[in-house]
Amino acid sequence: MPPMLPDFSNSVKLKYVKLGYQYLVNHIITLTLVPIMLGVSIEILRLGPQEILNLWNSLHFNLVQILCSAFLIIFVATVYFMSKPRTIYLVDYACFKPPVTCRVPFATFMEHSRLILKNNPKSVEFQMRILERSGLGEETCLPPAIHYIPPKPTMEAARGEAELVIFSAMDSLFKKTGLKPKDIDILIVNCSLFSPTPSLSAMVINKYKLRSNIKSFNLSGMGCSAGLISIDLARDLLQVHPNSNAVVVSTEIITPNYYQGNERAMLLPNCLFRMGGAAILLSNRRSERRRAKYRLVHVVRTHKGADDKAYRCVFEEEDKEGKVGISLSKDLMAIAGEALKSNITTMGPLVLPASEQLLFLLTLIGRKIFNPKWKPYIPDFKQAFEHFCIHAGGRAVIDELQKNLQLSTEHVEASRMTLHRFGNTSSSSLWYELNYIESKGRMKKGDRVWQIAFGSGFKCNSAVWKCNKTIKTPIDGPWTDCIDRYPVHIPEIVKL
Amino acid sequence: MELSLPRVLFLKCVTFCYICKRTVVSTKPIEPGKYMTFSVLDRCMEKNHIRMVYYYQSSLGEGEFGKMTKNLRETLSEMLNYYPMVTGRLVRDSEEKWKVKCNDAGVRVVEAKAKGSVEEWLKNVDSEKEHMLVYWEDMYHKPYYWSTFYVQITEFEEGGLAIGLSCFHLLADYTSATNFLKAWSDISLGNKITVLPLFHPLPSTRKRISNHHPYFELINHYKSSIERPIPIKEEKYTIISLGFSHQMVNACISKAQFNGPSGPITMTPFEALAGLFWASISNIKGLQNGLIDMSICLDARKLLGLDYGFFGNTMIYNKVHANGNLEGNIFVQATRYIREVVAKMDNEGIMDLIEWLEKNEMNSPRMINGPDLICVSLENVEPYLSVFEDWLKPLRVSCYIEPVLGEGQVLILPGTPEEGPLSRVVMVTLKEDEAIKLFEDDLISQFSPTIFMKC
């Protein structure tokens, strides 16, 4: 755990010193320009208009020089505008709202566990303890195939779940944006654990009769951070293809991956993963500038796969009885912390204000040159972002990040409440969290959002968005009927 | 613990098979920490369970069947919001008595399909076949994981549907179970529930001024059933079902009519039919001029001033004494005895019983329907009002109160409304050889019953 600065920041005086320092450093250019401008204008006034005219005539310009300068300026301007990356707009997105009949209360989950694992009461006990501390609520949903006793995870059922989730989200997206299926130029679908042939993107193309020259991609096996990988891919494609629309579908299909064995490390995902999905419309068209909700500012991807421990951290394998499940290692949190550190090291210079970067640089130099015992300075990311969407991987993940980044309860509220209401919906959880913030009416124009996702590999990916227009409540989405009940207090342990 | 569905014989599998089993929960989560306790009348029914089957004709075309079951599950989900007791699980309280923890666990739903149409099925049905349409599991070793209610939805490939509902008698009696189904049908039609369930204790006995002579007969009957050991007979029972039309029931009533001190006394359909079957069964069992031991059972909601929506048990049992040798028409005598007992079962008498049971909690009977022949009146509710979306009224409704461990059981249910308000369906549980004799008995056949279910 990274150590914190000595805590004399309670002192009010120091707070004002800090504010003053930040204002000084962040606006240094303005502050240096203002006296220069003042000096120049005073000089001009002193000289008087006649003097200025004489000064102007003394400069001998001939036509060639003027033309060359003009061309140079135009050339530089053109090169600048041409090489500027296209702005990627997030026009809108839609999250899948699971049907109420798929709801799984704790008691039902435990009962089914007990009936299926009747020869292993210890495994059932373990699942109960996980569920009690998980931070999930009583309204999370599992797909219909898992409701059977015993569960029936057939391929047909998995396809059924995929159709339900993806088509629902896409219909919702079409309705919200007025997008016509024929206008989709790029389609990216990411689903880590279910990868049939033909792919899920082919399934979407078939259902909505998309164009034959569509650029479609299907990402599988990339874990919970695949949503941001898809966004990154869409961004790169939208740089190459002008005037295009890209639809990204992020989901996780639970049906085929319900572990039916007894290994404890593999039972954990059963307790946390729930049904969910999201469809996002990205565009580089200038006409979308007005109505787009967000602009994509940065995407930073960090992969720790080179390290063996990180690679085996989340591993799909067969247990002793030959049943396939996803094994989570005990060092998961430590590795996540490392990956996060790596990510924010790259992210920091891109987003932090000059004041924070200067402080970080000074403490770094100090530690290297003067005294290695100086505590490293953790930049205050709260100054770079108004909202945080931390992947709702589990309560431990959110707690860890809250501690590491020194975030307040309100900053992590979106993540905690999404975990409570929808469970861990894998790559789409970031979108539910963003929707929570919007539903609460907290999203104003100019607000910056940081989405952080962790995934198998081990990866840590971040995306930074800037809000393009204030979003007015009430909005249509998965939180519509329950936003008034949130935030709820989630007890440490729910007694089952 | 029952995990997989029972294997059906090859032959039967051709006509019927189970599809799946799952749990259906309510649409809204329940506030944790709620418990519901049972009354003394509930606790008398601890060893019993009820099974009901409703048959429907479908107006939908073929290929729509999966959709019907799906709609039914969704409406069931919605309806369960009003029944937190049904979706809860049994736990023992500090005094080792049962109570329900409303933990939102849900009810088990089994889906099945059968070949042929529902009309064909009804022509050849017997009790064994009918039992396939209503799923039940006996209590597990760990009752916390045991569902107290089971719903089975069977689709007939060539048209029709059967809904089977079984429940633990501790939680609900026939009236409550029928209202449960009615509530479900209301929701499926998109309406509000007409008879909302009410969960509250029985009327309090504390404020009573009991300076009257308590009605000891009821109390004695309950007392004696504690002292009697619960019989564990290994007999094979069969259940038959007979339908009596409006005119025939009228005829039966007029035959039983007698002149009392203040004019002619007319029997209720229950009294008349119960007397008829009592006399007939006594005859079959060999008593030429006598009557075997019999108890009647009535729904006491009205007598206790309770709304029909009261969810729980209000079935009161009482012994009918046939004193000495009977002369004259045994049937008429039987109905008179029944009449006497019914008249004495008034509010005061029942409240006395409740008071006695509450005072003697430790020694309450666990199974009140013991070795006698039992005649149960189930006429107070109208099961044929349970109309589900798209379908017509129920074609037929059957009911079983199990287990039967004594001489037999006679359940008197209302008939379909088209037959008239006095029409009745009688379901009789007897040993197999006795049931066959019942068909040939003159007393019964003089009223030309329709045979709905043979042995």
Side-chain angles (χ1 to χ4, degrees):
Chain A
M1 187 198 120
M4 286 167 59
L5 266 180
D7 198 21
F8 42 77
S9 52
N10 278 331
S11 156
V12 176
K13 280 189 195 152
L14 196 72
K15 200 165 87 172
Y16 281 114
V17 167
K18 244 185 132 183
L19 271 172
Y21 159 74
Q22 281 170 0
Y23 195 74
L24 178 72
V25 177
N26 290 339
H27 299 95
I28 193 104
I29 297 174
T30 331
L31 290 172
T32 30
L33 265 177
V34 165
I36 293 175
M37 295 285 290
L38 267 172
V40 168
S41 25
I42 290 171
E43 192 61 35
I44 290 175
L45 287 170
R46 204 163 57 83
L47 284 176
Q50 197 56 37
E51 287 280 339
I52 295 171
L53 227 61
N54 289 339
L55 208 65
W56 182 255
N57 289 331
S58 66
L59 293 167
H60 299 289
F61 284 135
N62 58 10
L63 198 62
V64 176
Q65 277 179 324
I66 295 172
L67 269 173
C68 284
S69 322
F71 273 132
L72 187 68
I73 293 170
I74 293 172
F75 179 70
V76 167
T78 314
V79 169
Y80 171 71
F81 280 113
M82 291 295 282
S83 63
K84 199 167 78 133
R86 292 186 221 268
T87 323
I88 309 295
Y89 298 107
L90 193 164
V91 180
D92 208 341
Y93 63 97
C95 295
F96 168 66
K97 173 128 194 275
V100 214
T101 46
C102 289
R103 185 172 84 91
V104 179
F106 284 177
T108 317
F109 184 86
M110 286 320 306
E111 201 168 277
H112 280 221
S113 254
R114 187 72 172 79
L115 294 174
I116 295 160
L117 293 173
K118 54 184 186 263
N119 297 324
N120 276 288
K122 287 230 163 78
S123 299
V124 180
E125 274 294 311
F126 174 74
Q127 281 194 306
M128 191 148 100
R129 283 203 304 275
I130 297 291
L131 211 56
E132 282 174 352
R133 292 162 179 76
S134 62
L136 263 68
E138 301 270 5
E139 293 181 84
T140 60
C141 296
L142 280 172
I146 310 299
H147 288 252
Y148 292 113
I149 301 171
K152 292 189 180 181
T154 58
M155 189 167 205
E156 199 188 324
R159 274 219 168 95
E161 185 194 340
E163 285 176 5
L164 173 67
V165 174
I166 296 176
F167 295 165
S168 234
M170 290 210 63
D171 287 339
S172 193
L173 183 68
F174 288 145
K175 202 165 130 205
K176 273 186 171 185
T177 56
L179 178 71
K180 301 237 173 13
K182 284 193 315 311
D183 293 335
I184 302 177
D185 303 294
I186 300 162
L187 174 70
I188 304 172
V189 177
N190 75 270
C191 170
S192 188
L193 295 162
F194 180 54
S195 184
T197 300
S199 64
L200 293 176
S201 58
M203 186 177 86
V204 173
I205 293 170
N206 170 260
K207 161 84 175 172
Y208 293 102
K209 313 289 180 237
L210 303 181
R211 291 198 326 251
S212 58
N213 64 347
I214 192 169
K215 308 245 176 320
S216 72
F217 299 84
N218 193 78
L219 299 175
S220 76
M222 299 190 92
C224 299
S225 59
L228 293 181
I229 297 177
S230 308
I231 300 285
D232 188 40
L233 179 61
R235 180 184 66 160
D236 290 343
L237 287 167
L238 287 172
Q239 301 298 339
V240 177
H241 301 287
N243 253 347
S244 304
N245 280 329
V247 171
V248 172
V249 179
S250 289
T251 183
E252 191 54 72
I253 303 299
I254 314 282
T255 305
N257 306 303
Y258 196 77
Y259 177 60
Q260 298 195 59
N262 297 310
E263 269 305 302
R264 285 194 196 182
M266 297 186 179
L267 282 170
L268 225 111
N270 280 4
C271 299
L272 300 174
F273 279 86
R274 296 289 182 265
M275 213 162 64
I280 303 109
L281 174 60
L282 299 169
S283 178
N284 58 10
R285 293 185 180 175
R286 286 191 64 87
S287 52
E288 302 288 11
R289 214 171 10 134
R290 293 249 172 267
R291 69 165 179 156
K293 273 186 172 173
Y294 301 93
R295 251 192 330 110
L296 181 60
V297 183
H298 299 292
V299 177
V300 175
R301 291 169 57 177
T302 315
H303 205 304
K304 298 301 256 177
D307 176 39
D308 284 340
K309 256 175 68 178
Y311 171 66
R312 288 206 70 103
C313 177
V314 179
F315 210 77
E316 188 183 11
E317 57 192 348
E318 283 166 352
D319 66 5
K320 289 194 258 316
E321 294 163 14
K323 299 208 173 96
V324 176
I326 300 159
S327 169
L328 302 176
S329 101
K330 287 194 170 51
D331 334 298
L332 182 61
M333 289 324 304
I335 292 168
E338 284 297 317
L340 176 72
K341 238 190 252 176
S342 227
N343 193 285
I344 66 180
T345 310
T346 320
M347 175 70 90
L350 294 172
V351 294
L352 287 170
S355 53
E356 292 295 317
Q357 297 203 38
L358 193 63
L359 266 177
F360 182 71
L361 186 67
L362 289 174
T363 26
L364 193 69
I365 293 171
R367 286 185 75 214
K368 287 272 192 278
I369 297 174
F370 299 120
N371 185 0
K373 287 217 182 87
W374 273 12
K375 298 210 185 85
Y377 177 66
I378 295 118
D380 186 8
F381 279 92
K382 296 196 283 292
Q383 290 195 37
F385 302 106
E386 278 73 38
H387 307 288
F388 296 80
C389 291
I390 302 165
H391 166 56
R395 199 187 202 146
V397 173
I398 304 174
D399 287 342
E400 187 70 23
L401 258 80
Q402 185 179 12
K403 210 165 51 182
N404 280 352
L405 299 173
Q406 293 160 41
L407 301 174
S408 72
T409 323
E410 205 185 279
H411 285 127
V412 294
E413 188 184 303
S415 309
R416 286 201 200 281
M417 296 308 130
T418 300
L419 183 64
H420 184 267
R421 173 63 181 83
F422 294 101
N424 177 354
T425 56
S426 186
S427 39
S428 50
S429 66
L430 298 170
W431 302 104
Y432 286 99
E433 293 171 21
L434 193 60
N435 204 276
Y436 178 85
I437 300 170
E438 290 180 8
S439 302
K440 279 286 185 194
R442 294 177 189 163
M443 193 61 78
K444 307 269 182 301
K445 177 167 175 167
D447 281 357
R448 293 153 299 175
V449 185
W450 186 12
Q451 288 184 323
I452 313 170
F454 296 99
S456 60
F458 195 82
K459 302 189 269 291
C460 177
N461 298 328
S462 307
V464 178
W465 304 88
K466 190 158 182 170
C467 182
N468 202 35
K469 59 173 194 184
T470 304
I471 293 163
K472 293 195 198 66
T473 53
I475 64 166
D476 203 17
W479 293 96
T480 315
D481 60 349
C482 58
I483 192 71
D484 299 318
R485 286 192 269 128
Y486 284 90
V488 289
H489 168 67
I490 304 171
E492 272 298 315
I493 302 176
V494 175
K495 205 60 203 95
L496 285 182
Chain B
M1 222 182 278
E2 190 75 64
L3 173 59
S4 53
L5 295 165
R7 301 198 183 286
V8 284
L9 295 172
F10 173 70
L11 254 133
K12 280 193 182 145
C13 201
V14 174
T15 50
F16 174 87
C17 67
Y18 290 106
I19 301 173
C20 67
K21 176 161 90 165
R22 65 176 100 197
T23 308
V24 170
V25 300
S26 56
T27 56
K28 295 195 187 83
I30 293 180
E31 284 297 321
K34 270 205 191 141
Y35 289 85
M36 285 187 173
T37 50
F38 296 112
S39 70
V40 285
L41 292 178
D42 289 326
R43 281 195 262 277
C44 295
M45 307 307 297
E46 240 179 68
K47 299 284 177 205
N48 297 89
H49 58 273
I50 300 177
R51 285 170 124 134
M52 304 195 307
V53 184
Y54 283 60
Y55 292 93
Y56 292 87
Q57 212 168 32
S58 161
S59 61
L60 288 176
E62 284 180 40
E64 294 282 346
F65 288 142
K67 198 164 156 247
M68 268 204 289
T69 309
K70 186 165 175 282
N71 288 345
L72 278 174
R73 268 188 290 117
E74 285 171 13
T75 46
L76 178 64
S77 243
E78 230 183 287
M79 182 270 270
L80 287 173
N81 286 324
Y82 297 92
Y83 288 87
M85 201 173 184
V86 170
T87 54
R89 292 290 179 263
L90 290 172
V91 291
R92 291 226 187 249
D93 68 6
S94 47
E95 294 161 23
E96 289 301 306
K97 288 198 285 218
W98 288 121
K99 64 178 180 185
V100 172
K101 181 175 180 187
C102 299
N103 66 354
D104 211 5
V107 298
R108 294 273 185 270
V109 171
V110 171
E111 290 167 36
K113 66 173 182 236
K115 282 211 160 31
S117 72
V118 68
E119 289 92 352
E120 280 166 33
W121 175 279
L122 285 173
K123 284 197 199 118
N124 311 319
V125 71
D126 60 20
S127 64
E128 217 176 301
K129 279 175 88 177
E130 200 158 72
H131 271 67
M132 291 199 295
L133 296 178
V134 52
Y135 188 72
W136 172 250
E137 281 174 9
D138 286 324
M139 194 188 283
Y140 298 161
H141 174 61
K142 285 235 163 100
Y144 191 59
Y145 303 108
W146 178 66
S147 175
T148 46
F149 272 67
Y150 294 84
V151 174
Q152 179 171 333
I153 304 172
T154 311
E155 284 179 6
F156 289 87
E157 281 177 2
E158 284 171 38
L161 192 97
I163 297 181
L165 173 69
S166 59
C167 67
F168 191 32
H169 215 309
L170 177 67
L171 273 83
D173 60 7
Y174 179 73
T175 310
S176 299
T178 309
N179 284 331
F180 181 83
L181 222 88
K182 175 77 173 54
W184 186 6
S185 65
D186 286 338
I187 301 259
S188 81
L189 288 169
N191 302 332
K192 285 214 169 86
I193 297 179
T194 40
V195 185
L196 273 172
L198 302 163
F199 304 94
H200 58 77
L202 291 172
S204 170
T205 53
R206 262 168 242 160
K207 294 191 194 132
R208 296 175 69 220
I209 316 156
S210 42
N211 52 5
H212 67 278
H213 206 58
Y215 177 42
F216 272 117
E217 285 197 34
L218 251 183
I219 295 173
N220 283 340
H221 177 62
Y222 275 73
K223 217 192 222 173
S224 63
S225 68
I226 306 163
E227 288 146 21
R228 264 187 321 226
I230 297 172
I232 316 164
K233 284 193 185 171
E234 291 295 331
E235 310 278 359
K236 184 138 196 314
Y237 291 93
T238 185
I239 301 128
I240 58 170
S241 175
L242 302 166
F244 292 87
S245 68
H246 178 100
Q247 293 90 336
M248 286 303 152
V249 174
N250 227 345
C252 186
I253 292 173
S254 359
K255 259 208 153 161
Q257 196 178 34
F258 67 96
N259 282 315
S262 45
I265 296 181
T266 322
M267 299 297 173
T268 60
F270 168 69
E271 289 159 358
L273 287 170
L276 180 73
F277 278 89
W278 189 11
S280 173
I281 292 171
S282 305
N283 187 21
I284 290 166
K285 287 195 188 263
L287 265 73
Q288 299 298 20
N289 275 319
L291 292 164
I292 54 171
D293 289 337
M294 202 266 274
S295 317
I296 55 165
C297 173
L298 305 173
D299 181 5
R301 275 177 178 74
K302 215 165 166 186
L303 291 166
L304 287 169
L306 294 168
D307 190 271
Y308 272 115
F310 174 76
F311 194 86
N313 281 284
T314 51
M315 307 300 275
I316 305 279
Y317 290 77
N318 201 359
K319 192 150 185 134
V320 184
H321 296 280
N323 303 315
N325 255 333
L326 302 154
E327 283 140 19
N329 193 324
I330 297 187
F331 161 49
V332 176
Q333 283 278 40
T335 51
R336 279 170 86 160
Y337 288 136
I338 294 173
R339 178 60 177 234
E340 273 170 36
V341 172
V342 171
K344 285 204 208 125
M345 283 167 78
D346 59 357
N347 177 285
E348 285 294 324
I350 297 172
M351 292 298 282
D352 287 335
L353 171 71
I354 294 172
E355 200 171 350
W356 182 85
L357 283 169
E358 283 171 359
K359 285 203 189 114
N360 294 284
E361 288 251 48
M362 286 300 123
N363 301 324
S364 307
R366 287 286 165 265
M367 185 166 179
I368 188 62
N369 43 353
D372 301 340
L373 173 71
I374 303 179
C375 291
V376 187
S377 162
L378 299 176
E379 310 158 289
N380 288 335
V381 271
E382 296 172 62
Y384 294 92
L385 289 178
S386 300
V387 178
F388 284 84
E389 178 197 16
D390 284 347
W391 311 329
L392 314 167
K393 288 208 196 82
L395 290 175
R396 198 188 292 176
V397 173
S398 308
C399 174
Y400 302 83
I401 299 180
E402 293 168 345
V404 176
L405 295 169
E407 297 290 341
Q409 189 186 79
V410 175
L411 302 177
I412 297 172
L413 304 149
T416 52
E418 283 88 43
E419 300 276 321
L422 285 179
S423 67
R424 293 288 182 267
V425 172
V426 181
M427 296 193 70
V428 187
T429 308
L430 283 176
K431 298 197 195 80
E432 207 161 342
D433 48 337
E434 291 169 1
I436 297 169
K437 288 189 203 154
L438 196 70
F439 287 120
E440 296 148 16
D441 190 65
D442 290 326
L443 252 182
I444 308 281
S445 42
Q446 71 181 299
F447 295 108
S448 346
T450 332
I451 299 174
F452 286 141
M453 206 157 73
K454 303 190 278 277
C455 320

